[in-house]
Amino acid sequence: MSWKKGIVTRFHSNMADVIDTETKEKLSCVLRGKFKMQKIRPIVGDFVEYTTDESDTGKIENILERKNILYRPSIANIDQIILVTTLKSPCVDNLIIDKFLIQAEKENMDVIIVVNKTDLLVTQEEKLILENFRAIYEDMYTVIPVCSKTGENIDKLKIFLKDKISTMAGMSGVGKSSLLNFVNPGLKLKVGDISDRLQRGKHTTTYSELMQFDFGGFIADTPGFANMELINFNADKLKNFFPEFSYFGAYCAFSDCSHIHEPNCAVKDAVENDEISLSRYNNYKKIYSDLKTRNSGGKKYD
Ligand SMILES: Nc1nc2c(ncn2[C@@H]2O[C@H](COP(=O)(O)OP(=O)(O)O)[C@@H](O)[C@H]2O)c(=O)[nH]1
Ligand SMILES: [Mg+2]
Ligand SMILES: [Zn+2]
């Protein structure tokens, strides 16, 4: 019996939905007994090898090695995070963006920043806010201004989504569901739904599910990094998750420079010279001191 390759997109009552890599067809699969013995189970996003016989269900024979795993929700093999934000309705603080980016950097994942609701940026001042935002982030990340009302740049976004496994992140209300509906109308996601989560029975575990794009590729139905707090973060390692610090940091007088209070700090010099954005640096200092306070058992982080 030949083994076929597929991707796990969903679990329900101990069965896994597997979409065949070649045919793109979906079928339900059971797990081989050996996995239960070893207490191993695939998670959504896993590439598996499976077999079929005359019945309607397949059998998962093997779980292929994972490239990465994102927890809460658990998804394997994510290629990129689509960080959705807005500069108006709501005006998302850059501090929140930086916290998302830190988590993505920690997981070593590619990030695409999507600025939605560009239809609301009409005055010169509002347009300047978008330009400033791009100036802060464009050197490190791909930034795509889009609009899920007019369709602006949705084609560009689709190029990034095609044939990849993506997950979205971003505050509630920025238009994540609206964007996905525009990208792939067949998804029919509820707009204005706070939870962004498929509601299942109260007593069943809620798993994330991968949705397939008509044009190829997958997206998780649940946003990643729902928890905005940086849990288990070591303040002294925080600097490693600001990619623009690494280049300048090599020239600091102290090799373990925190870029906060040390003399002859090349990162601080770069901020002075506009080579590192002041907004990013100030947020670094704020998060650093919050993490220090929290770790010392002092004032709690909110
Ligand atoms: N003006 C404008 N409103 C938008 C746009 N995209 C989404 N919205 C609105 O923003 C609200 C939240 O959208 P939703 O997709 O539910 O956001 P989510 O919580 O991130 O999934 C809804 O009222 C949408 O109609 C846009 O591009 N322009
Ligand atoms: Mg939503
Ligand atoms: Zn320094």
Side-chain angles (χ1 to χ4, degrees):
M1 220 177 334
S2 69
W3 288 17
K4 299 171 206 172
K5 201 178 154 195
I7 179 172
V8 174
T9 59
R10 186 188 169 194
F11 282 102
H12 50 107
S13 18
N14 271 322
M15 302 279 285
D17 280 357
V18 173
I19 292 185
D20 188 280
T21 315
E22 298 276 305
T23 66
K24 313 286 181 213
E25 273 165 29
K26 190 189 281 185
L27 90 163
S28 282
C29 287
V30 293
L31 272 181
R32 274 273 185 215
K34 64 175 181 183
F35 293 115
K36 278 177 201 149
M37 306 262 293
Q38 297 167 10
K39 293 206 163 67
I40 298 172
R41 54 184 281 135
I43 61 174
V44 166
D46 266 333
F47 287 102
V48 295
E49 289 171 314
Y50 72 97
T51 52
T52 46
D53 51 25
E54 307 79 52
S55 72
D56 290 342
T57 46
K59 279 197 182 71
I60 293 178
E61 305 280 354
N62 186 27
I63 304 169
L64 301 178
E65 198 184 327
R66 291 168 186 150
K67 171 167 119 174
N68 56 37
I69 309 178
L70 195 70
Y71 295 98
R72 269 173 291 161
S74 296
I75 312 172
N77 300 316
I78 293 171
D79 292 311
Q80 60 192 2
I81 294 176
I82 310 296
L83 173 53
V84 184
T85 188
T86 48
L87 298 168
K88 193 178 174 185
S89 305
C91 173
V92 178
D93 193 319
N94 285 352
L95 180 65
I96 291 174
I97 300 296
D98 290 332
K99 285 183 182 174
F100 274 121
L101 291 172
I102 289 162
Q103 297 187 73
E105 289 291 341
K106 186 171 180 235
E107 302 303 330
N108 213 355
M109 286 182 188
D110 285 347
V111 181
I112 292 162
I113 303 177
V114 170
V115 185
N116 190 30
K117 309 198 188 184
T118 51
D119 59 317
L120 302 177
L121 308 176
V122 285
T123 66
Q124 272 312 313
E125 201 185 347
E126 286 163 345
K127 289 192 165 123
L128 196 62
I129 292 171
L130 176 60
E131 288 319 304
N132 288 339
F133 182 90
R134 295 180 77 148
I136 294 172
Y137 293 102
E138 237 162 20
D139 284 346
M140 285 93 63
Y141 304 99
T142 300
V143 179
I144 314 178
V146 301
C147 180
S148 59
K149 287 253 148 60
T150 65
E152 183 195 352
N153 276 341
I154 300 283
D155 283 351
K156 201 168 167 193
L157 175 60
K158 274 167 105 164
I159 292 169
F160 284 94
L161 294 172
K162 188 172 161 46
D163 299 334
K164 299 259 175 63
I165 302 177
S166 309
T167 183
M168 281 193 152
M171 283 175 62
S172 170
V174 295
K176 297 181 292 300
S177 303
S178 309
L179 271 176
L180 288 180
N181 284 338
F182 204 107
V183 161
N184 194 139
L187 294 178
K188 295 197 176 68
L189 298 171
K190 255 210 237 160
V191 166
D193 176 8
I194 302 282
S195 76
D196 264 311
R197 223 173 248 275
L198 290 186
Q199 297 298 321
R200 308 238 167 86
K202 255 191 193 148
H203 303 290
T204 55
T205 321
T206 307
Y207 293 103
S208 186
E209 180 176 336
L210 284 181
M211 302 180 291
Q212 187 170 214
F213 292 124
D214 298 339
F215 52 87
F218 296 90
I219 185 114
D221 70 336
T222 315
F225 307 134
N227 197 330
M228 284 308 303
E229 283 204 51
L230 301 178
I231 299 164
N232 297 331
F233 258 81
N234 177 342
D236 297 315
K237 297 226 167 95
L238 185 66
K239 61 183 179 183
N240 300 337
F241 307 124
F242 282 71
E244 70 269 50
F245 289 8
S246 60
Y247 171 80
F248 295 100
Y251 300 95
C252 295
F254 297 94
S255 62
D256 61 349
C257 186
S258 70
H259 318 313
I260 305 263
H261 45 71
E262 296 86 343
N264 300 323
C265 169
V267 168
K268 277 195 281 185
D269 288 347
V271 175
E272 289 278 309
N273 299 333
D274 273 339
E275 289 165 309
I276 286 178
S277 131
L278 183 61
S279 151
R280 290 272 290 170
Y281 181 67
N282 283 341
N283 288 340
Y284 167 70
K285 281 203 300 191
K286 164 136 188 37
I287 299 167
Y288 179 91
S289 83
D290 286 354
L291 287 173
K292 282 280 182 198
T293 325
R294 186 163 43 152
N295 291 343
S296 66
K299 182 175 141 272
K300 287 276 183 263
Y301 194 69
D302 54 36

